[in-house]
Amino acid sequence: FSSAGAAPTLLNPSPGASVLGNGALFTWESSSTTAPVASYRLNLTAPPGKTSPAAVTTSARAYAWPALLADGTWTWTVTALDGSGASLGTSAARSFIVSYPSLVKVTSPSFTGTRTVGSTLTASPGSFGSSAAGPAVAATYKYQWLRGGGAISGATGKTYKLVAADAARSISVRVTATAAGYAPGSANSAAGVVAKLRSTTAVRLKATRIKRGTRGTLYVTVTAALPKTGAIRVYDGSRLIKTMTLVASNGGKKTFLLPVLTLGRHSLQARYAGNAQIAASNSPRIVLYVVR
């Protein structure tokens, strides 16, 4: 038979209390004054959409749940049982909230490798625990590489090969740690700036000998892995004789009509100034002869 007077009184967790999902402790006391209680059945009801565990039976008036409980709002009841396992009474249901401590950084993530386009960087996850002071806990890690603080699409491995778009930009990695009994935690490595892209500048003349009073033609080609933009300056010896602006639509090529030069030998050089992501470069010198 069942007697309301034999229903156990729930103690902890108190109504609406927040408890950790690993090792949650339940305590109650007997209210039976007439019937001997042989054991108790503890029943947990999971939040909506999650699976409730099987009820457990114990002769004690306390039970530490051995498995992890999903986060969310749970309810629990305790039923007093007689020696045959029949119910003597069930407590009113009480709710509690399961939460997990978030993992926090103990030691910072980092990465190694040469910060030049084409090189591969390798992340080290650092360590995580429930407190910045440690100790660290065993965890699994996910990685997201960042360019200028923003996520790089598809760059979610432990290693990352630098591409042209990374030139002169800051690169870092975000590590997200997960571990049983904890909410995930994330931390970013210190950022490092990738070197500018190397460029090369080459020149050729339409003709290496021209008549006095005529103007020579100089062809300049700038090569780099990104669209080439920026200033090109042409020097005759140490004297600046022409400045032009290279735009992306030029495809790295520019044709210069030289000014009228004096009779004799002229040592010409093109100097590309580079831009925010491409390093400057100078062409080898080329000789133009102005003859009679």
Side-chain angles (χ1 to χ4, degrees), residues 111 113-117 121 146-148 162 165-172 189-197 276-277:
F111 63 87
T114 304
R115 296 194 302 273
T116 56
V117 171
L121 305 178
L146 310 173
R147 178 190 302 128
L162 294 165
D166 298 318
R169 303 290 302 278
S170 67
I171 293 292
S172 58
S189 72
V193 177
V194 178
K196 286 187 175 185
L197 280 170
Q277 289 186 279

Short mmCIF file of all heavy atoms in Angstrom, two decimals, residues 111 113-117 121 146-148 162 165-172 189-197 276-277:
data_model
loop_
_atom_site.label_atom_id
_atom_site.label_comp_id
_atom_site.label_asym_id
_atom_site.label_seq_id
_atom_site.Cartn_x
_atom_site.Cartn_y
_atom_site.Cartn_z
N PHE A 111 51.44 29.31 -31.88
CA PHE A 111 51.73 28.61 -33.12
C PHE A 111 53.18 28.87 -33.50
O PHE A 111 53.80 29.85 -33.07
CB PHE A 111 50.78 29.03 -34.26
CG PHE A 111 50.86 30.48 -34.66
CD1 PHE A 111 51.79 30.93 -35.59
CD2 PHE A 111 50.00 31.42 -34.10
CE1 PHE A 111 51.85 32.26 -35.97
CE2 PHE A 111 50.05 32.76 -34.46
CZ PHE A 111 50.99 33.17 -35.40
N GLY A 113 56.20 28.44 -36.85
CA GLY A 113 56.36 28.40 -38.30
C GLY A 113 56.80 29.76 -38.81
O GLY A 113 56.66 30.79 -38.13
N THR A 114 57.37 29.77 -39.99
CA THR A 114 57.84 31.01 -40.61
C THR A 114 56.66 31.76 -41.20
O THR A 114 55.87 31.19 -41.97
CB THR A 114 58.86 30.70 -41.72
OG1 THR A 114 59.93 29.94 -41.15
CG2 THR A 114 59.42 31.98 -42.32
N ARG A 115 56.54 33.02 -40.86
CA ARG A 115 55.38 33.80 -41.30
C ARG A 115 55.64 34.41 -42.68
O ARG A 115 55.77 35.63 -42.83
CB ARG A 115 55.03 34.86 -40.26
CG ARG A 115 54.58 34.29 -38.93
CD ARG A 115 53.92 35.32 -38.05
NE ARG A 115 54.77 36.46 -37.76
CZ ARG A 115 55.63 36.52 -36.77
NH1 ARG A 115 55.77 35.49 -35.96
NH2 ARG A 115 56.36 37.61 -36.56
N THR A 116 55.74 33.54 -43.67
CA THR A 116 55.86 33.96 -45.06
C THR A 116 54.87 33.17 -45.89
O THR A 116 54.57 32.01 -45.57
CB THR A 116 57.28 33.73 -45.61
OG1 THR A 116 57.62 32.35 -45.45
CG2 THR A 116 58.30 34.58 -44.89
N VAL A 117 54.35 33.77 -46.94
CA VAL A 117 53.37 33.11 -47.80
C VAL A 117 53.97 31.82 -48.36
O VAL A 117 55.11 31.79 -48.83
CB VAL A 117 52.93 34.05 -48.94
CG1 VAL A 117 52.09 33.31 -49.96
CG2 VAL A 117 52.15 35.23 -48.37
N LEU A 121 52.04 26.95 -40.79
CA LEU A 121 52.03 27.23 -39.35
C LEU A 121 51.41 26.04 -38.62
O LEU A 121 50.48 25.42 -39.13
CB LEU A 121 51.25 28.50 -39.05
CG LEU A 121 51.68 29.77 -39.80
CD1 LEU A 121 50.77 30.94 -39.43
CD2 LEU A 121 53.13 30.11 -39.53
N LEU A 146 42.69 32.68 -37.81
CA LEU A 146 42.13 34.02 -37.94
C LEU A 146 43.08 34.90 -38.74
O LEU A 146 44.30 34.86 -38.54
CB LEU A 146 41.90 34.64 -36.56
CG LEU A 146 41.14 33.79 -35.53
CD1 LEU A 146 41.14 34.50 -34.18
CD2 LEU A 146 39.71 33.53 -35.99
N ARG A 147 42.49 35.71 -39.60
CA ARG A 147 43.26 36.73 -40.34
C ARG A 147 42.70 38.09 -39.96
O ARG A 147 41.51 38.36 -40.15
CB ARG A 147 43.13 36.50 -41.85
CG ARG A 147 43.86 37.55 -42.69
CD ARG A 147 43.50 37.43 -44.16
NE ARG A 147 43.82 36.11 -44.71
CZ ARG A 147 42.95 35.35 -45.38
NH1 ARG A 147 41.69 35.76 -45.55
NH2 ARG A 147 43.31 34.18 -45.85
N GLY A 148 43.53 38.91 -39.34
CA GLY A 148 43.05 40.21 -38.89
C GLY A 148 41.92 40.08 -37.88
O GLY A 148 41.07 40.96 -37.77
N LEU A 162 50.02 29.39 -45.22
CA LEU A 162 49.78 30.80 -45.53
C LEU A 162 49.62 31.01 -47.02
O LEU A 162 50.36 30.46 -47.84
CB LEU A 162 50.93 31.65 -45.00
CG LEU A 162 51.07 31.69 -43.47
CD1 LEU A 162 52.42 32.25 -43.08
CD2 LEU A 162 49.95 32.52 -42.84
N ALA A 165 46.70 36.05 -49.68
CA ALA A 165 45.83 37.00 -48.98
C ALA A 165 46.31 37.30 -47.57
O ALA A 165 45.88 38.29 -46.95
CB ALA A 165 44.41 36.47 -48.94
N ASP A 166 47.19 36.46 -47.02
CA ASP A 166 47.69 36.67 -45.66
C ASP A 166 48.84 37.67 -45.60
O ASP A 166 49.23 38.10 -44.51
CB ASP A 166 48.17 35.34 -45.06
CG ASP A 166 47.06 34.33 -44.94
OD1 ASP A 166 45.95 34.71 -44.54
OD2 ASP A 166 47.29 33.14 -45.26
N ALA A 167 49.43 38.00 -46.74
CA ALA A 167 50.60 38.86 -46.76
C ALA A 167 50.33 40.17 -46.02
O ALA A 167 49.32 40.83 -46.24
CB ALA A 167 51.02 39.14 -48.19
N ALA A 168 51.24 40.51 -45.11
CA ALA A 168 51.19 41.75 -44.32
C ALA A 168 49.98 41.83 -43.39
O ALA A 168 49.69 42.89 -42.85
CB ALA A 168 51.23 42.98 -45.23
N ARG A 169 49.29 40.71 -43.20
CA ARG A 169 48.16 40.68 -42.29
C ARG A 169 48.54 39.93 -41.01
O ARG A 169 49.45 39.10 -40.99
CB ARG A 169 46.96 39.96 -42.94
CG ARG A 169 46.50 40.56 -44.26
CD ARG A 169 45.83 41.91 -44.09
NE ARG A 169 44.68 41.85 -43.21
CZ ARG A 169 43.47 41.46 -43.61
NH1 ARG A 169 43.26 41.10 -44.88
NH2 ARG A 169 42.45 41.44 -42.75
N SER A 170 47.79 40.22 -39.93
CA SER A 170 48.03 39.51 -38.68
C SER A 170 47.32 38.16 -38.71
O SER A 170 46.18 38.06 -39.16
CB SER A 170 47.55 40.34 -37.49
OG SER A 170 46.15 40.47 -37.50
N ILE A 171 48.01 37.13 -38.23
CA ILE A 171 47.48 35.77 -38.21
C ILE A 171 47.51 35.27 -36.76
O ILE A 171 48.49 35.48 -36.03
CB ILE A 171 48.32 34.83 -39.10
CG1 ILE A 171 48.16 35.22 -40.57
CG2 ILE A 171 47.91 33.37 -38.90
CD1 ILE A 171 46.78 34.98 -41.15
N SER A 172 46.44 34.61 -36.34
CA SER A 172 46.39 33.99 -35.03
C SER A 172 45.51 32.76 -35.13
O SER A 172 44.94 32.47 -36.18
CB SER A 172 45.84 34.96 -33.97
OG SER A 172 44.55 35.43 -34.33
N SER A 189 45.50 32.66 -29.60
CA SER A 189 46.94 32.85 -29.50
C SER A 189 47.27 34.32 -29.72
O SER A 189 46.44 35.11 -30.18
CB SER A 189 47.65 32.02 -30.57
OG SER A 189 47.43 32.59 -31.86
N ALA A 190 48.50 34.69 -29.41
CA ALA A 190 49.00 36.00 -29.82
C ALA A 190 49.07 36.02 -31.34
O ALA A 190 49.25 34.98 -31.99
CB ALA A 190 50.37 36.24 -29.22
N ALA A 191 48.89 37.19 -31.93
CA ALA A 191 48.92 37.33 -33.39
C ALA A 191 50.34 37.61 -33.87
O ALA A 191 51.15 38.19 -33.14
CB ALA A 191 47.98 38.45 -33.83
N GLY A 192 50.62 37.19 -35.07
CA GLY A 192 51.89 37.50 -35.72
C GLY A 192 51.61 38.02 -37.12
O GLY A 192 50.65 37.60 -37.77
N VAL A 193 52.42 38.96 -37.58
CA VAL A 193 52.21 39.58 -38.89
C VAL A 193 53.02 38.81 -39.94
O VAL A 193 54.20 38.53 -39.76
CB VAL A 193 52.62 41.06 -38.88
CG1 VAL A 193 52.48 41.66 -40.28
CG2 VAL A 193 51.75 41.83 -37.89
N VAL A 194 52.35 38.47 -41.04
CA VAL A 194 52.99 37.77 -42.14
C VAL A 194 53.78 38.76 -42.98
O VAL A 194 53.36 39.90 -43.19
CB VAL A 194 51.91 37.06 -42.99
CG1 VAL A 194 52.53 36.33 -44.19
CG2 VAL A 194 51.11 36.08 -42.13
N ALA A 195 54.94 38.31 -43.46
CA ALA A 195 55.78 39.18 -44.28
C ALA A 195 55.05 39.55 -45.58
O ALA A 195 54.19 38.82 -46.08
CB ALA A 195 57.08 38.47 -44.62
N LYS A 196 55.42 40.70 -46.11
CA LYS A 196 54.87 41.11 -47.40
C LYS A 196 55.31 40.12 -48.49
O LYS A 196 56.33 39.45 -48.38
CB LYS A 196 55.37 42.51 -47.78
CG LYS A 196 54.73 43.65 -47.00
CD LYS A 196 55.18 44.98 -47.58
CE LYS A 196 54.47 46.14 -46.90
NZ LYS A 196 54.81 47.45 -47.52
N LEU A 197 54.52 40.06 -49.55
CA LEU A 197 54.87 39.23 -50.69
C LEU A 197 56.09 39.79 -51.40
O LEU A 197 56.25 41.01 -51.55
CB LEU A 197 53.71 39.18 -51.69
CG LEU A 197 52.56 38.22 -51.39
CD1 LEU A 197 51.42 38.50 -52.35
CD2 LEU A 197 53.03 36.78 -51.54
N ALA A 276 50.63 47.88 -49.65
CA ALA A 276 50.43 47.41 -48.28
C ALA A 276 50.78 45.94 -48.10
O ALA A 276 51.16 45.50 -47.01
CB ALA A 276 48.97 47.65 -47.86
N GLN A 277 50.66 45.13 -49.18
CA GLN A 277 50.91 43.70 -49.05
C GLN A 277 52.06 43.18 -49.90
O GLN A 277 52.46 42.03 -49.75
CB GLN A 277 49.64 42.91 -49.41
CG GLN A 277 48.52 43.02 -48.38
CD GLN A 277 47.35 42.12 -48.70
OE1 GLN A 277 46.51 42.45 -49.52
NE2 GLN A 277 47.30 40.97 -48.06
#
